[in-house]
Amino acid sequence: MAMGRYFKNLNFSIGLALSTMVVVMALVSLFWTPYSPNTMDAHHRIEAPSLAHPLGTDQYGRDQLSRVMVGAVNSIIVGLMTVAIGMGAGIVLGLTSAWGGRLADEAIMRFSDLLFGFPAVLSAILITAVMGPSAVNAMLAIGIFYIPVFARLTRASALTIKGLDYISAARAAGQEEVAIIRRHVLPNILSPLIIQATVQFAVAILAEAGLSYLGLGTQPPHPSWGRMLNEAQTFMELAPWMAVFPGMAIAWTVLGFNLLGDGLRDILDPRLR
Amino acid sequence: MTAYLMKKGISLTAVLFLVSLTVFSVLFVLPGDPAQIILGINASPETLAALRARLGLDQPFWVQYGGWIGSLLKGTGGHSITYDTAVFDLISSRLAVTGPLALMAMAIAVALALPLGIFAARHQNRPGDAAVMAGTQVGLAVPEFWLGILLMLLFSVHWGVFTAGGFPGWGEDFRGSLKALFLPALALGLIRAAILTRLTRSSMLEVLREDYVRTARAKGLKERTVVYGHALKNALIPVLTIFGLQMGQLLAGAIIIENVFTLPGLGRLVFQAIGQRDLPVVREVVLFMAAAVVIVNFLVDLSYAAVDPRIRLDGQ
Amino acid sequence: MKNAFRFFFVVLLLVVVSTPAFSQTPVKGGSLMVCQPAEPPGLDPTANTAAAIDRVVYANIYEGLVKVDSGGGFIPGLANGWTISADGLVYTFNLRKGVVFHDGEAFDAAVAKWNLERAAVPENGNPHPEYFNGIEAIQTPDNHTLVVRLKSVDALFIAHMAEGDAVMLPMQGAGDAKSNPIGTGPFKFVKWVQGDRVEMARFDGYWNPFLPYLDRVTFRFIGDPAAQIAALKAGDIDVIGSIAAPESAMMLAKDKRFKVYAGTTTGEVIMSTNNKAAPFDNLLVRRAMAHAIDRQAVVDLVMFGYGTPIGSHWSPSTPYYEDLTGRFPYDPDKARALLKEAGYPDGFSATIKLPAIYSYSRRAGEVIADMLSKVGIDLTIEIVEWGQWIDRIFKKKEYQLTMIGHVEAWDIGIYAKPDYYFQYDSQEFRDAYANALKAPDEAGKSKWFGRCQEIIADDAVNGFLFSAPSLPVMKVGVMGWWENYPTIALDCTAVWWKQ
């Protein structure tokens, strides 16, 4: 596969550039930040952006740039974990649905209808209320809603392949069903799944920001973009910059991964346009 | 048609029953004792036990669940612990905020999305299209609560033309109430406009490629007539689906924006009720929201038939 | 005699209106719209401890024998004055003459006796019968003299007589007090629009002919802080009793239309410590933490500078306060040395559980976690909902550290209960507290309440942080509003509008 094909796609190039910057920022923050992200300084509270603090400081005098950087790590972890949960369970359920006979198919599809129909924010709030607010529980709450997304996609893709000749041929050659799925089906449904995963990655970052804004996601003092926005709102009149930069970081990241997903779809799966 | 309605009706009831059971079980295991929260930290064990008995919290699961379903079927519903009123009254008073908010948001979204989507489709792959599509990409990436905060920063803090949150009440101050809903509706509407614009565009493009549109063009009809007279109607079907889904989701999905603007809506009600362990409120609002989503989806299905006579509701 | 009374009233006025604005002469008339967050669950302060009730009715509709002034001192209410016998057992109250209830009933010694005896019987529903059941006998030698004999010395008797639980109700009109309160106060109840407001109007028959100044007072209930501020800015309300968010106080102070007072309250914000949970059962560890906390920085970071650092469980606005903030000055090196001595040279990890409903508590938790991290104590923050806080921390004591404001005045007695959630067990403290309660005179009270404060400060039982500020915000024209919040009251008696 020539990489040139990828870079000719504008969506892909811009998306890759934006999201790479976020990943690099997150990686750098693991080793270095301008200030320690949680260290308070009573003498430099709510200072406007300056050379010393390019994004200003918050109500505790913490450096906002350092916190935005570390917040990127948080967001990336949330994206990866939720997609892993949704994709892992979704692929298994989707394949069971496609291969397991009518009853399993019906049960799994109705279950996913139920999840789809239910307001996601509300369930996430209920889940965190029962299990306690934490980053892990927020990821679980979001990841659960990804299961039907990946299950349906897997099922649909698998069903089209199931009827193809080479599967029948493999079966005639005496291969086991599990082996057929692993060798012939999975590799062929990977493209749509990867495209979907990129998009869901972005959605998860948005969702976690919303939950953290409500105080149900990442707990203090660990920086999370959503929680930073929550704190910023009370200081809106005194320190508007606190409300601007974490939101920009979210929009930047989500835009990056959305574009990346669109670009990948254009390239890998032109039929879906 | 009747058979279809019957079948749908049964599955709707089943879904709502499942939701009610799930919600009730979840709240049943929720840590924190409502009686203790009401009475505060200095309450004696005897008064606590008495209140628990009065609230029915000492009953086994199935008795409590049965009692609740019974009260729903009778049409009375539960009684809020914190607000000391019937939950149904609370829901209707809060719906008077969330309902208009959702409607305003969708009105803004549609007013922007239809013209922009059609424009983009007619200028496919030209600079105008690219600009609209870039705008929608940004719209999809911006968290709606952040947009709300930004709007508040601009319109309330900077220009001072809107109050930063709060809701005066329809009866007290009608114009003020409309104004209070405008910024949150704009935040919700702009984000949804991005989704609807993309959808209108792609759906329009698809329809414009269809044979009957080509035929209409070949007959020498004006482009305007072709686009607005023939294509638009069919292009609207998928748009309508998403519109319905969004509308249902908005009743519940406004939780975050209601918190940003401190609006006394349904979402904020349920969010606070969870913290206050006002269980009768939580379970009935959740059930109401689920019912709203399910019923709106059903209405969307029905309206297909009205828009497109080719679709028949025989369950296929 | 009448002139002598007049003179007394003027003196009283000077005391009551001792606010910074007293350079001008008060004007009569006008109405005041006061906002408080919570709607009271009823309007009878003798039937429920909810602070929302007292804020509306105390000193406005109802009065007791003793009142609290804006500085926290005890001043004559329905009693002109009182004398205490040398053994501290007999209180002789001199009742005011010519006092009538809003419904026309007269207030005299018989009514006062009936009220005190009624409150002592638990079945009558007073939540604090223990304030009254130390009374052995009440005599009424004449209509305006009340002689109360106690079973044993009670240093807090006058303090309790000044509480909302001890206000005087009329014998006839007491039954409906929850929904139709009738008192002797400067304002009479007009109506209660449930869910929205309580209205009251000037009582022309008030015993002090000079007061009140206002014609009408309305209490509006707006729960949401942002909505409160919006209503103030829109001119719908004139006063917010106290605003919760210090950053809002700072913002409103910059607005020329409003003024903000930064007064004191009886509340203390403390880092409650489980004295039975390792490593906090070690006195050296608790002292190390006390040295590791920069209290002024906590006030600056958490409260934007509003609030007063404290060194013990006693607020500066409560009598007998002793300033112990110097007992453990901020000294991280000393803290590290103490930790080493305690056997934790590298520090340790612990969890602090913060109740989600109080933003000051969440913020203080974050600030303390940062301060303690500098001496090697690594705190994990866990936000818990109020229901869980009550259940797991307050009742089951499943915690190491938490952060909460204790709002009641005179509540140092909680340190005498070993099963209270601090789990602090000290015979020395219990003896000192018992002595304080039994002290017959001022010198004794001052000595022993001071000793109580010193013992818990030395034992570093909890992280004593700051006294919560009272932050009333009002339009600049509102005069005579209390700057401090020494008791649970929003007293509008001497409030007036500057023209």
Side-chain angles (χ1 to χ4, degrees):
Chain A
M1 244 191 301
M3 282 311 279
R5 186 160 70 99
Y6 282 78
F7 291 109
K8 262 191 211 140
N9 184 295
L10 194 63
N11 278 348
F12 179 84
S13 310
I14 298 177
L16 188 70
L18 294 181
S19 45
T20 307
M21 279 189 244
V22 177
V23 173
V24 168
M25 181 165 82
L27 288 176
V28 169
S29 82
L30 295 179
F31 304 99
W32 176 85
T33 49
Y35 298 82
S36 156
N38 296 332
T39 295
M40 301 181 182
D41 183 349
H43 304 292
H44 296 96
R45 285 179 295 137
I46 51 169
E47 280 184 4
S50 64
L51 274 179
H53 298 280
L55 305 187
T57 64
D58 69 3
Q59 75 270 30
Y60 302 120
R62 298 180 295 201
D63 180 53
Q64 286 287 85
L65 174 61
S66 308
R67 291 182 69 75
V68 168
M69 285 174 71
V70 178
V73 179
N74 182 58
S75 284
I76 288 172
I77 291 175
V78 167
L80 287 176
M81 289 307 296
T82 51
V83 168
I85 296 170
M87 209 162 152
I91 290 178
V92 172
L93 283 179
L95 288 175
T96 319
S97 197
W99 250 262
R102 211 185 129 78
L103 197 68
D105 187 26
E106 188 67 20
I108 288 169
M109 283 304 108
R110 287 295 79 77
F111 162 74
S112 75
D113 279 351
L114 189 73
L115 267 184
F116 257 135
F118 207 70
V121 200
L122 189 59
S123 323
I125 291 174
L126 278 175
I127 290 172
T128 46
V130 174
M131 313 206 315
S134 79
V136 174
N137 291 344
M139 286 184 234
L140 271 178
I142 300 166
I144 287 173
F145 281 87
Y146 283 4
I147 297 175
V149 176
F150 286 101
R152 285 183 176 197
L153 188 63
T154 309
R155 176 179 174 270
S157 315
L159 281 180
T160 48
I161 292 173
K162 194 181 173 187
L164 295 182
D165 289 344
Y166 72 97
I167 301 287
S168 316
R171 206 172 278 148
Q175 289 195 26
E176 300 234 351
E177 291 290 313
V178 179
I180 294 175
I181 290 175
R182 197 162 50 80
R183 253 179 248 158
H184 302 293
V185 180
L186 272 182
N188 284 303
I189 62 172
L190 215 54
S191 307
L193 286 175
I194 289 174
I195 296 163
Q196 193 69 39
T198 321
V199 174
Q200 297 304 128
F201 186 93
V203 175
I205 290 173
L206 275 180
E208 195 270 346
L211 285 180
S212 288
Y213 174 80
L214 292 176
L216 302 173
T218 314
Q219 294 301 295
H222 304 294
S224 125
W225 294 337
R227 233 171 49 76
M228 288 169 81
L229 283 176
N230 175 324
E231 288 169 11
Q233 211 190 332
T234 37
F235 296 94
M236 214 161 57
E237 301 198 14
L238 296 166
W241 58 89
M242 277 173 68
V244 173
F245 298 113
M248 269 173 60
I250 299 174
W252 178 292
T253 313
V254 174
L255 183 63
F257 282 94
N258 271 344
L259 288 175
L260 196 63
D262 282 5
L264 280 176
R265 190 183 53 204
D266 295 345
I267 299 159
L268 296 177
D269 210 346
R271 286 166 303 154
L272 286 173
R273 272 215 89 160
Chain B
M1 184 73 183
T2 327
Y4 169 80
L5 284 180
M6 285 275 289
K7 195 179 156 194
K8 261 294 186 194
I10 292 169
S11 91
L12 281 185
T13 320
V15 166
L16 289 183
F17 171 75
L18 271 179
V19 170
S20 76
L21 193 62
T22 317
V23 171
F24 199 90
S25 322
V26 166
L27 296 183
F28 198 78
V29 300
L30 197 61
D33 176 2
Q36 184 87 58
I37 295 181
I38 299 166
L39 291 174
I41 52 181
N42 290 321
S44 70
E46 294 78 38
T47 41
L48 272 176
L51 183 65
R52 260 190 227 114
R54 197 166 64 75
L55 296 175
L57 294 171
D58 53 348
Q59 303 283 324
F61 177 85
W62 288 107
V63 176
Q64 288 192 40
Y65 179 70
W68 177 49
I69 294 294
S71 77
L72 285 181
L73 292 179
K74 266 187 289 174
T76 50
H79 198 83
S80 161
I81 295 169
T82 26
Y83 300 94
D84 197 30
T85 42
V87 180
F88 285 178
D89 295 343
L90 265 182
I91 291 182
S92 62
S93 76
R94 297 306 184 97
L95 196 58
V97 177
T98 304
L101 174 66
L103 275 177
M104 265 169 93
M106 288 318 287
I108 291 171
V110 171
L112 286 171
L114 285 188
L116 282 176
I118 295 167
F119 171 84
R122 292 182 62 191
H123 296 79
Q124 194 194 1
N125 296 336
R126 276 184 273 164
D129 179 31
V132 170
M133 292 313 278
T136 61
Q137 279 290 5
V138 174
L140 290 180
V142 169
E144 63 194 20
F145 64 95
W146 183 53
L147 186 60
I149 293 174
L150 287 185
L151 289 173
M152 212 193 257
L153 207 56
L154 209 62
F155 286 92
S156 312
V157 178
H158 198 65
W159 289 329
V161 286
F162 286 93
T163 48
F167 187 77
W170 294 111
E172 296 267 316
D173 177 4
F174 185 79
R175 273 195 57 204
S177 302
L178 267 186
K179 247 180 112 177
L181 291 186
F182 181 71
L183 287 186
L186 190 63
L188 291 172
L190 284 175
I191 306 290
R192 273 151 192 85
I195 304 169
L196 282 181
T197 304
R198 293 176 77 85
L199 200 79
T200 311
R201 175 182 175 273
S202 61
S203 151
M204 201 68 195
L205 283 178
E206 214 153 281
V207 173
L208 286 176
R209 271 186 229 118
E210 300 258 346
D211 286 345
Y212 68 96
V213 174
R214 277 190 223 153
T215 318
R217 280 201 180 117
K219 279 199 297 190
L221 287 178
K222 267 194 236 146
E223 185 65 13
R224 285 185 74 84
T225 324
V226 175
V227 171
Y228 295 102
H230 296 75
L232 183 60
K233 201 176 153 194
N234 290 302
L236 276 184
I237 296 169
V239 178
L240 199 70
T241 317
I242 300 296
F243 178 85
L245 290 177
Q246 291 283 348
M247 189 70 202
Q249 292 280 1
L250 259 185
L251 288 181
I255 293 179
I256 300 181
I257 211 82
E258 282 173 3
N259 268 294
V260 174
F261 288 90
T262 56
L263 294 174
L266 268 186
R268 212 168 135 73
L269 174 70
V270 73
F271 182 64
Q272 290 176 329
I274 291 173
Q276 296 156 335
R277 292 292 180 276
D278 195 344
L279 304 186
V281 172
V282 180
R283 53 194 179 222
E284 271 164 53
V285 176
V286 170
L287 189 61
F288 173 80
M289 285 176 169
V293 171
V294 171
I295 290 168
V296 166
N297 289 357
F298 172 60
L299 291 178
V300 168
D301 278 358
L302 280 183
S303 60
Y304 283 168
V307 182
D308 188 349
R310 285 173 306 177
I311 296 171
R312 278 177 49 223
L313 295 177
D314 48 14
Q316 293 303 303
Chain C
M1 186 64 199
K2 206 169 183 189
N3 279 337
F5 254 108
R6 281 269 159 83
F7 175 74
F8 182 78
F9 286 144
V10 173
V11 172
L12 182 67
L13 247 173
L14 283 168
V15 175
V16 172
V17 196
S18 60
T19 58
F22 189 62
S23 45
Q24 294 114 334
T25 327
V27 206
K28 285 206 176 196
S31 60
L32 191 73
M33 190 73 94
V34 182
C35 165
Q36 79 163 41
E39 174 156 19
L43 294 173
D44 181 357
T46 69
N48 190 313
T49 52
I53 302 174
D54 293 58
R55 289 197 194 109
V56 175
V57 302
Y58 182 86
N60 293 324
I61 293 178
Y62 286 118
E63 295 171 307
L65 300 174
V66 184
K67 272 175 103 163
V68 177
D69 73 4
S70 64
F74 300 114
I75 57 166
L78 291 176
N80 262 330
W82 55 89
T83 55
I84 308 169
S85 64
D87 61 1
L89 286 173
V90 182
Y91 286 71
T92 306
F93 292 94
N94 224 328
L95 302 188
R96 240 175 245 293
K97 289 176 181 143
V99 176
V100 285
F101 285 97
H102 302 149
D103 63 349
E105 283 181 60
F107 169 78
D108 57 19
V111 176
K113 181 174 190 277
W114 175 79
N115 268 290
L116 297 183
E117 286 170 353
R118 173 179 174 267
V121 181
E123 283 69 40
N124 289 336
N126 192 305
H128 287 296
E130 74 275 12
Y131 290 179
F132 308 92
N133 56 23
I135 298 174
E136 190 177 80
I138 302 175
Q139 285 159 342
T140 54
D142 63 55
N143 266 351
H144 299 102
T145 309
L146 187 77
V147 182
V148 178
R149 166 174 285 279
L150 302 183
K151 291 172 191 159
S152 57
V153 173
D154 178 2
L156 295 179
F157 183 67
I158 288 296
H160 289 152
M161 288 304 107
E163 302 254 3
D165 309 274
V167 297
M168 294 291 144
L169 271 56
M171 287 162 82
Q172 308 293 323
D176 275 351
K178 273 184 189 163
S179 53
N180 183 25
I182 297 165
T184 59
F187 297 99
K188 57 175 194 260
F189 172 75
V190 176
K191 70 170 166 182
W192 179 7
V193 182
Q194 301 247 343
D196 189 44
R197 63 185 184 273
V198 167
E199 291 176 15
M200 48 187 96
R202 179 189 161 78
F203 173 46
D204 291 322
Y206 189 53
W207 51 263
N208 182 339
F210 300 100
L211 291 172
Y213 301 119
L214 295 165
D215 290 332
R216 292 187 86 82
V217 174
T218 305
F219 281 85
R220 269 196 71 185
F221 312 116
I222 304 177
D224 192 88
Q228 290 173 4
I229 290 167
L232 182 74
K233 284 185 168 172
D236 299 340
I237 54 176
D238 304 313
V239 181
I240 299 175
S242 183
I243 47 177
E247 62 273 17
S248 309
M250 196 166 152
M251 203 183 69
L252 288 165
K254 288 182 182 161
D255 194 323
K256 286 196 176 59
R257 294 172 292 167
F258 308 114
K259 58 182 176 189
V260 179
Y261 290 151
T264 58
T265 67
T266 57
E268 302 92 12
V269 174
I270 59 173
M271 177 172 67
S272 304
T273 307
N274 189 339
N275 280 247
K276 286 232 171 84
F280 306 104
D281 51 352
N282 186 332
L283 176 62
L284 292 171
V285 169
R286 297 201 302 269
R287 285 187 172 163
M289 292 199 299
H291 276 302
I293 295 170
D294 181 351
R295 289 174 187 75
Q296 188 55 50
V298 172
V299 171
D300 289 343
L301 287 166
V302 177
M303 301 304 293
F304 273 61
Y306 298 112
T308 318
I310 50 170
S312 187
H313 196 101
W314 203 277
S315 141
S317 57
T318 307
Y320 319 123
Y321 169 73
E322 215 172 290
D323 184 353
L324 294 165
T325 47
R327 182 68 188 77
F328 295 100
Y330 178 55
D331 186 348
D333 292 328
K334 186 90 183 285
R336 275 186 286 264
L338 281 171
L339 278 179
K340 200 172 168 195
E341 198 186 329
Y344 298 96
D346 303 319
F348 57 86
S349 300
T351 301
I352 184 165
K353 294 181 177 171
L354 307 173
I357 55 167
Y358 298 118
S359 72
Y360 68 82
S361 152
R362 289 187 320 243
R363 288 182 183 172
E366 242 183 290
V367 169
I368 293 287
D370 179 53
M371 284 179 180
L372 292 185
S373 76
K374 286 175 186 150
V375 299
I377 301 174
D378 179 25
L379 290 191
T380 303
I381 293 175
E382 195 182 306
I383 308 271
V384 295
E385 282 187 83
W386 187 231
Q388 292 198 36
W389 192 90
I390 292 175
D391 194 45
R392 285 170 53 202
I393 295 164
F394 190 77
K395 288 177 77 185
K396 297 191 184 133
K397 292 136 198 158
E398 294 168 359
Y399 80 107
Q400 291 178 303
L401 300 168
T402 184
M403 184 77 65
I404 194 79
H406 281 253
V407 295
E408 304 86 0
W410 308 103
D411 64 346
I412 202 166
I414 53 183
Y415 290 81
K417 302 180 193 168
D419 61 341
Y420 203 64
Y421 77 112
F422 313 141
Q423 308 223 71
Y424 170 65
D425 191 347
S426 158
Q427 191 58 46
E428 190 190 5
F429 179 84
R430 282 194 291 275
D431 293 342
Y433 186 64
N435 284 335
L437 288 186
K438 275 185 293 194
D441 54 16
E442 286 303 304
K445 286 191 222 177
S446 177
K447 177 184 169 198
W448 287 109
F449 277 127
R451 189 72 201 114
C452 286
Q453 298 171 49
E454 284 165 16
I455 294 170
I456 55 171
D458 281 345
D459 281 345
V461 181
N462 292 315
F464 303 108
L465 301 179
F466 58 90
S467 169
S470 166
L471 297 170
V473 186
M474 66 211 81
K475 292 183 181 161
V476 282
V478 176
M479 310 306 277
W481 189 269
W482 284 15
E483 191 172 339
N484 297 326
Y485 188 70
T487 187
I488 305 167
L490 298 176
D491 186 347
C492 299
T493 311
V495 176
W496 55 283
W497 277 103
K498 196 167 85 175
Q499 297 301 311

